[in-house]
Amino acid sequence: MAVDAQTVEKLAELARIAISEETIDEVSSRLGDVLQLVDQLQAVNTDGVEPMAHPLEEVQVLRKDEVTEPNRREEFLALAPQTEAGLFLVPKVID
Amino acid sequence: MHQLTIAEIMRGLRDKQFSSVEITSHLLERIQQLDNQFNSFISVTGDQAIKQATAADARLAKGDAPALCGVPIAHKDIFCTSGVRTSCGSKMLDNFVPPYDATVVDNFQQAGAVSLGKTNMDEFAMGSSNESSFYGAVKNPWDIERIPGGSSGGSAAAVAALLVPGTTATDTGGSIRQPAAMTGTTGLKPTYGRVSRWGMIAFASSLDQGGPITRTAEDAALMLSVMAGPDKKDSTCLDRPAQDYTASLGDSIKGLKIGVPSEYFGEGLDSEVGAQVQAALKAYEQLGAELVEISLPHSKLAVPAYYVIAPAEASANLSRFDGVRYGYRCENPADLRDLYMRSRGEGFGEEVKRRILVGSYALSAGYYDAYYNKAQQVRRLIKQDFVDAFDKVDVIMGPTAPNPAFKLGEKNADPVAMYLEDIYTIATNLAGLPGMSIPCGFAHGLPVGLQIIGNYLDEARMLNVAHQFQLASDWHQQTAPAAQ
């Protein structure tokens, strides 16, 4: 299955991943190979088969709505590339 | 001292044949001398290890020693370690120093183990050859021109090179068992949910599972006894009590019914690998087990289903790496969109980007039903094959990987050929079943793995089945030439 350059550009936008012009053809070709592999699934009859999300059919475990973790703001902020006044700093998004 | 297993180290420490500081120092020295050949470690935490070993010796002297007190291990660099870089093999997390320990890491600390460092891995655990690490490929100690398997290739190579007796690892589609097979080590992927995933950097959440790589099944049982158990921090972790997996290692396997799937011995299997696996099955017959031919008719769909589900989950899990909260940020972004696009474009390697794009495709409008939903339906069919098989047999056996370790770079240009390296392991991840790989011979001069698949939560039986084979054979005691 071929994946054209336009589709790759759309996927790159959806995934927020910059892909250089020079590598688009190679990425298209390799993506096409992978999608050809997964296209084998289309030949399988799955009428009436329930999709499986958890192999042991476990249900979501809920806990009481109580605070159990201490506030570790300073430690987490210390990991960020840039912070100011106790906040994460990101480039401006409004001109 | 570096040839000792975990069980032997435990006995040696308690009998005061050597101290934890002595064995820790010895292994740190070996890592320093030898690991430049293998590249199996990303970070070596020598000072911290000596401190932990000194504390362990004090506890041993007082007679207040927990299970693995003073035993050196290493963690795959996917497990968060407080104060120690946790890169997940990626440029994206090259500067990430977590302020907390993963539950698995904490469990080993509670058990008194000494961590020597963090082992190399395919970037974000995506790969079958350990060539996609930002820190360079890991080399197989049996032939340093060959891959060690992936994604836990660093963990497996470190054990095979006798740099450490046991390591933690993770398996999303075969990433414990396949490198174990290719390095002649013993690797165990537990039942999904048996080991907490809290603090383990997520790749595909419904498939990822932590487990040990060791030299023997006995050591795997010792490590799993520490790793397994419920965890309130991980709601997908099973609420079943931890158990002592060494307790049933002496059980007889007479009358054990071994299912042999016809689909695992067809086209694509190297004939020498097949012959070694068949010889191992014969050895089991001599130990009193019965071989039963079974069929897993949907197993050929495991790879395509996996390469929809795993990338789809990866595309969601890796969305957090955006250049804002932590990790890599590109230089001088023009605006927020540019920051996201370039940070992710520059921070992720090619294989990770490819899988995120495939995942985005499978989840995008118009394709969800045809790809993601379909793959989850096929997943149920694959699971049902195993449920039907386990009505007739106690364990299932076959090859772990279709080939022995291949040359570095050999499959880099063909991702689909690389994906097929996990053809026999992926189905168990989709079904959530436990699986092991143990050494069972050599093909073309390289180690071959026998895969043992157990029923849900039947790790104790699986470990005993592996242990009985290792009592009757010496494949697991062979040492890689470069590790001498």
Side-chain angles (χ1 to χ4, degrees), chain A residues 13 44 50 52 72 82, chain B residues 99 329 337 374 376 380:
Chain A
E13 186 64 36
V44 187
E50 188 72 16
M52 190 177 99
R72 305 178 70 187
Q82 284 175 277
Chain B
R329 174 180 286 187
R337 181 185 169 282
K374 185 87 178 176
Q376 293 287 36
R380 185 173 294 280

Side-chain angles (χ1 to χ4, degrees), chain B residues 366-443:
Chain B
Y367 296 105
Y368 179 89
D369 282 336
Y371 285 97
Y372 188 72
N373 208 44
K374 185 87 178 176
Q376 293 287 36
Q377 288 174 310
V378 170
R379 186 177 186 182
R380 185 173 294 280
L381 297 175
I382 290 167
K383 177 197 167 179
Q384 193 57 46
D385 286 352
F386 282 112
V387 170
D388 294 344
F390 280 117
D391 280 344
K392 299 177 210 135
V393 299
D394 301 309
V395 293
I396 294 170
M397 290 191 193
T400 306
N403 314 292
F406 49 89
K407 290 254 171 120
L408 287 154
E410 191 177 317
K411 299 196 179 186
N412 278 352
D414 187 352
V416 172
M418 187 78 88
Y419 297 168
L420 292 172
E421 286 302 310
D422 293 330
I423 193 165
Y424 303 129
T425 51
I426 277 177
T428 58
N429 297 77
L430 291 169
L433 289 162
M436 280 187 82
S437 180
I438 57 173
C440 73
F442 290 86

